Amino acid sequence: MGCTCFLIAVNMPNFWAFWAFYCFGWGITTGWCYLVTFHHTWLWFPDHPGLASGICMGGYGLGSLVFDNIMTPIINPNNRGFTFPCHEGDDYGCYPAEVDDNFKKTMYVLIAVFACLDLVGVLGVW
């Protein structure tokens, strides 16, 4: 479900449509991961549920460390910096067009990685 929402989101022409699908997909998948992980750690380690949950949460947080190092070279391969402001009258900055062009490719890589992780999880159940 999450990969499907991400795939729909990356192909949305409107930011708010992208935002809605991406946030829904991320929220649902993250919620399911937390619930299943916590439930099983509490069942397997009833004497130390806080420690077991903390270790799982630490592993979940380390995922950000790993994925940042995978995604940053894809979306910004030349390490182009942030410019401020982008256009006359703007009060926010932006990255160069090449970084913006790599966004879709980066999202497809992210979807593929998540799909592979989902497949490993499903095969582990069998």
Side-chain angles (χ1 to χ4, degrees), residues 38-55:
F38 285 156
H39 176 70
H40 286 288
T41 56
W42 295 337
L43 290 176
W44 294 337
F45 303 100
D47 296 333
H48 303 291
L51 176 64
S53 298
I55 290 171

PDB file of all heavy atoms in Angstrom, residues 38-55:
ATOM      1  N   PHE A  38       6.547  -3.155  17.932  1.00  0.00           N
ATOM      2  CA  PHE A  38       6.354  -3.037  19.374  1.00  0.00           C
ATOM      3  C   PHE A  38       5.587  -4.220  19.949  1.00  0.00           C
ATOM      4  O   PHE A  38       5.940  -4.743  21.004  1.00  0.00           O
ATOM      5  CB  PHE A  38       5.627  -1.740  19.723  1.00  0.00           C
ATOM      6  CG  PHE A  38       6.486  -0.529  19.622  1.00  0.00           C
ATOM      7  CD1 PHE A  38       5.935   0.708  19.419  1.00  0.00           C
ATOM      8  CD2 PHE A  38       7.863  -0.613  19.734  1.00  0.00           C
ATOM      9  CE1 PHE A  38       6.711   1.845  19.342  1.00  0.00           C
ATOM     10  CE2 PHE A  38       8.660   0.510  19.655  1.00  0.00           C
ATOM     11  CZ  PHE A  38       8.083   1.733  19.453  1.00  0.00           C
ATOM     12  N   HIS A  39       4.566  -4.633  19.261  1.00  0.00           N
ATOM     13  CA  HIS A  39       3.765  -5.757  19.759  1.00  0.00           C
ATOM     14  C   HIS A  39       4.631  -7.000  19.943  1.00  0.00           C
ATOM     15  O   HIS A  39       4.582  -7.658  20.981  1.00  0.00           O
ATOM     16  CB  HIS A  39       2.594  -6.038  18.809  1.00  0.00           C
ATOM     17  CG  HIS A  39       1.780  -7.219  19.189  1.00  0.00           C
ATOM     18  ND1 HIS A  39       0.960  -7.232  20.292  1.00  0.00           N
ATOM     19  CD2 HIS A  39       1.677  -8.449  18.627  1.00  0.00           C
ATOM     20  CE1 HIS A  39       0.371  -8.411  20.389  1.00  0.00           C
ATOM     21  NE2 HIS A  39       0.791  -9.163  19.388  1.00  0.00           N
ATOM     22  N   HIS A  40       5.435  -7.307  18.949  1.00  0.00           N
ATOM     23  CA  HIS A  40       6.254  -8.522  19.030  1.00  0.00           C
ATOM     24  C   HIS A  40       7.401  -8.401  20.019  1.00  0.00           C
ATOM     25  O   HIS A  40       7.740  -9.383  20.684  1.00  0.00           O
ATOM     26  CB  HIS A  40       6.758  -8.926  17.645  1.00  0.00           C
ATOM     27  CG  HIS A  40       5.673  -9.525  16.811  1.00  0.00           C
ATOM     28  ND1 HIS A  40       5.156 -10.780  17.053  1.00  0.00           N
ATOM     29  CD2 HIS A  40       4.978  -9.041  15.767  1.00  0.00           C
ATOM     30  CE1 HIS A  40       4.196 -11.043  16.193  1.00  0.00           C
ATOM     31  NE2 HIS A  40       4.066  -9.992  15.389  1.00  0.00           N
ATOM     32  N   THR A  41       7.997  -7.222  20.138  1.00  0.00           N
ATOM     33  CA  THR A  41       9.050  -7.082  21.145  1.00  0.00           C
ATOM     34  C   THR A  41       8.476  -7.218  22.550  1.00  0.00           C
ATOM     35  O   THR A  41       9.119  -7.792  23.426  1.00  0.00           O
ATOM     36  CB  THR A  41       9.799  -5.736  21.023  1.00  0.00           C
ATOM     37  OG1 THR A  41       8.877  -4.661  21.109  1.00  0.00           O
ATOM     38  CG2 THR A  41      10.577  -5.655  19.737  1.00  0.00           C
ATOM     39  N   TRP A  42       7.285  -6.732  22.765  1.00  0.00           N
ATOM     40  CA  TRP A  42       6.659  -6.873  24.086  1.00  0.00           C
ATOM     41  C   TRP A  42       6.300  -8.337  24.368  1.00  0.00           C
ATOM     42  O   TRP A  42       6.362  -8.789  25.501  1.00  0.00           O
ATOM     43  CB  TRP A  42       5.419  -6.011  24.191  1.00  0.00           C
ATOM     44  CG  TRP A  42       5.704  -4.541  24.127  1.00  0.00           C
ATOM     45  CD1 TRP A  42       6.888  -3.917  24.429  1.00  0.00           C
ATOM     46  CD2 TRP A  42       4.812  -3.525  23.730  1.00  0.00           C
ATOM     47  NE1 TRP A  42       6.790  -2.565  24.227  1.00  0.00           N
ATOM     48  CE2 TRP A  42       5.503  -2.284  23.791  1.00  0.00           C
ATOM     49  CE3 TRP A  42       3.493  -3.497  23.305  1.00  0.00           C
ATOM     50  CZ2 TRP A  42       4.931  -1.065  23.480  1.00  0.00           C
ATOM     51  CZ3 TRP A  42       2.909  -2.282  22.987  1.00  0.00           C
ATOM     52  CH2 TRP A  42       3.625  -1.082  23.074  1.00  0.00           C
ATOM     53  N   LEU A  43       5.922  -9.086  23.315  1.00  0.00           N
ATOM     54  CA  LEU A  43       5.611 -10.504  23.506  1.00  0.00           C
ATOM     55  C   LEU A  43       6.877 -11.321  23.752  1.00  0.00           C
ATOM     56  O   LEU A  43       6.878 -12.234  24.583  1.00  0.00           O
ATOM     57  CB  LEU A  43       4.874 -11.057  22.284  1.00  0.00           C
ATOM     58  CG  LEU A  43       3.445 -10.574  22.053  1.00  0.00           C
ATOM     59  CD1 LEU A  43       2.901 -11.142  20.746  1.00  0.00           C
ATOM     60  CD2 LEU A  43       2.548 -10.967  23.215  1.00  0.00           C
ATOM     61  N   TRP A  44       7.932 -11.023  23.010  1.00  0.00           N
ATOM     62  CA  TRP A  44       9.156 -11.827  23.090  1.00  0.00           C
ATOM     63  C   TRP A  44      10.008 -11.480  24.313  1.00  0.00           C
ATOM     64  O   TRP A  44      10.773 -12.304  24.786  1.00  0.00           O
ATOM     65  CB  TRP A  44       9.974 -11.680  21.827  1.00  0.00           C
ATOM     66  CG  TRP A  44       9.307 -12.247  20.611  1.00  0.00           C
ATOM     67  CD1 TRP A  44       8.342 -13.211  20.572  1.00  0.00           C
ATOM     68  CD2 TRP A  44       9.535 -11.861  19.264  1.00  0.00           C
ATOM     69  NE1 TRP A  44       7.954 -13.456  19.285  1.00  0.00           N
ATOM     70  CE2 TRP A  44       8.677 -12.631  18.456  1.00  0.00           C
ATOM     71  CE3 TRP A  44      10.364 -10.945  18.649  1.00  0.00           C
ATOM     72  CZ2 TRP A  44       8.653 -12.515  17.082  1.00  0.00           C
ATOM     73  CZ3 TRP A  44      10.325 -10.839  17.279  1.00  0.00           C
ATOM     74  CH2 TRP A  44       9.475 -11.615  16.505  1.00  0.00           C
ATOM     75  N   PHE A  45       9.921 -10.259  24.770  1.00  0.00           N
ATOM     76  CA  PHE A  45      10.707  -9.821  25.923  1.00  0.00           C
ATOM     77  C   PHE A  45       9.789  -9.179  26.970  1.00  0.00           C
ATOM     78  O   PHE A  45       9.880  -7.975  27.235  1.00  0.00           O
ATOM     79  CB  PHE A  45      11.788  -8.819  25.484  1.00  0.00           C
ATOM     80  CG  PHE A  45      12.704  -9.362  24.431  1.00  0.00           C
ATOM     81  CD1 PHE A  45      12.531  -9.027  23.100  1.00  0.00           C
ATOM     82  CD2 PHE A  45      13.740 -10.221  24.781  1.00  0.00           C
ATOM     83  CE1 PHE A  45      13.373  -9.533  22.134  1.00  0.00           C
ATOM     84  CE2 PHE A  45      14.585 -10.735  23.816  1.00  0.00           C
ATOM     85  CZ  PHE A  45      14.402 -10.402  22.487  1.00  0.00           C
ATOM     86  N   PRO A  46       8.929  -9.971  27.598  1.00  0.00           N
ATOM     87  CA  PRO A  46       7.952  -9.394  28.537  1.00  0.00           C
ATOM     88  C   PRO A  46       8.600  -8.782  29.785  1.00  0.00           C
ATOM     89  O   PRO A  46       8.004  -7.909  30.407  1.00  0.00           O
ATOM     90  CB  PRO A  46       7.051 -10.571  28.895  1.00  0.00           C
ATOM     91  CG  PRO A  46       7.860 -11.788  28.615  1.00  0.00           C
ATOM     92  CD  PRO A  46       8.776 -11.420  27.481  1.00  0.00           C
ATOM     93  N   ASP A  47       9.799  -9.228  30.127  1.00  0.00           N
ATOM     94  CA  ASP A  47      10.461  -8.678  31.308  1.00  0.00           C
ATOM     95  C   ASP A  47      11.153  -7.350  31.026  1.00  0.00           C
ATOM     96  O   ASP A  47      11.449  -6.601  31.959  1.00  0.00           O
ATOM     97  CB  ASP A  47      11.494  -9.671  31.849  1.00  0.00           C
ATOM     98  CG  ASP A  47      10.844 -10.961  32.343  1.00  0.00           C
ATOM     99  OD1 ASP A  47       9.654 -10.898  32.736  1.00  0.00           O
ATOM    100  OD2 ASP A  47      11.510 -12.004  32.327  1.00  0.00           O
ATOM    101  N   HIS A  48      11.441  -7.062  29.755  1.00  0.00           N
ATOM    102  CA  HIS A  48      12.157  -5.829  29.385  1.00  0.00           C
ATOM    103  C   HIS A  48      11.525  -5.184  28.146  1.00  0.00           C
ATOM    104  O   HIS A  48      12.189  -5.007  27.131  1.00  0.00           O
ATOM    105  CB  HIS A  48      13.630  -6.139  29.093  1.00  0.00           C
ATOM    106  CG  HIS A  48      14.343  -6.797  30.228  1.00  0.00           C
ATOM    107  ND1 HIS A  48      14.624  -6.154  31.404  1.00  0.00           N
ATOM    108  CD2 HIS A  48      14.809  -8.057  30.379  1.00  0.00           C
ATOM    109  CE1 HIS A  48      15.243  -6.970  32.221  1.00  0.00           C
ATOM    110  NE2 HIS A  48      15.362  -8.141  31.627  1.00  0.00           N
ATOM    111  N   PRO A  49      10.252  -4.835  28.221  1.00  0.00           N
ATOM    112  CA  PRO A  49       9.603  -4.286  27.022  1.00  0.00           C
ATOM    113  C   PRO A  49      10.177  -2.937  26.605  1.00  0.00           C
ATOM    114  O   PRO A  49      10.279  -2.641  25.412  1.00  0.00           O
ATOM    115  CB  PRO A  49       8.135  -4.159  27.416  1.00  0.00           C
ATOM    116  CG  PRO A  49       8.153  -4.055  28.898  1.00  0.00           C
ATOM    117  CD  PRO A  49       9.328  -4.870  29.350  1.00  0.00           C
ATOM    118  N   GLY A  50      10.591  -2.121  27.545  1.00  0.00           N
ATOM    119  CA  GLY A  50      11.138  -0.803  27.214  1.00  0.00           C
ATOM    120  C   GLY A  50      12.466  -0.909  26.499  1.00  0.00           C
ATOM    121  O   GLY A  50      12.715  -0.210  25.515  1.00  0.00           O
ATOM    122  N   LEU A  51      13.338  -1.788  26.978  1.00  0.00           N
ATOM    123  CA  LEU A  51      14.641  -1.981  26.341  1.00  0.00           C
ATOM    124  C   LEU A  51      14.478  -2.530  24.927  1.00  0.00           C
ATOM    125  O   LEU A  51      15.107  -2.045  23.982  1.00  0.00           O
ATOM    126  CB  LEU A  51      15.504  -2.922  27.182  1.00  0.00           C
ATOM    127  CG  LEU A  51      16.864  -3.294  26.591  1.00  0.00           C
ATOM    128  CD1 LEU A  51      17.739  -2.052  26.464  1.00  0.00           C
ATOM    129  CD2 LEU A  51      17.540  -4.357  27.438  1.00  0.00           C
ATOM    130  N   ALA A  52      13.619  -3.546  24.789  1.00  0.00           N
ATOM    131  CA  ALA A  52      13.403  -4.146  23.478  1.00  0.00           C
ATOM    132  C   ALA A  52      12.807  -3.134  22.496  1.00  0.00           C
ATOM    133  O   ALA A  52      13.235  -3.049  21.341  1.00  0.00           O
ATOM    134  CB  ALA A  52      12.477  -5.360  23.605  1.00  0.00           C
ATOM    135  N   SER A  53      11.856  -2.350  22.947  1.00  0.00           N
ATOM    136  CA  SER A  53      11.253  -1.328  22.087  1.00  0.00           C
ATOM    137  C   SER A  53      12.280  -0.261  21.725  1.00  0.00           C
ATOM    138  O   SER A  53      12.307   0.214  20.592  1.00  0.00           O
ATOM    139  CB  SER A  53      10.068  -0.673  22.787  1.00  0.00           C
ATOM    140  OG  SER A  53       9.073  -1.606  23.065  1.00  0.00           O
ATOM    141  N   GLY A  54      13.108   0.110  22.692  1.00  0.00           N
ATOM    142  CA  GLY A  54      14.133   1.114  22.436  1.00  0.00           C
ATOM    143  C   GLY A  54      15.144   0.654  21.405  1.00  0.00           C
ATOM    144  O   GLY A  54      15.574   1.432  20.545  1.00  0.00           O
ATOM    145  N   ILE A  55      15.533  -0.607  21.462  1.00  0.00           N
ATOM    146  CA  ILE A  55      16.477  -1.143  20.476  1.00  0.00           C
ATOM    147  C   ILE A  55      15.836  -1.136  19.090  1.00  0.00           C
ATOM    148  O   ILE A  55      16.469  -0.767  18.098  1.00  0.00           O
ATOM    149  CB  ILE A  55      16.941  -2.552  20.887  1.00  0.00           C
ATOM    150  CG1 ILE A  55      17.833  -2.449  22.128  1.00  0.00           C
ATOM    151  CG2 ILE A  55      17.672  -3.237  19.749  1.00  0.00           C
ATOM    152  CD1 ILE A  55      18.176  -3.773  22.762  1.00  0.00           C
TER     153      ILE A  55
END
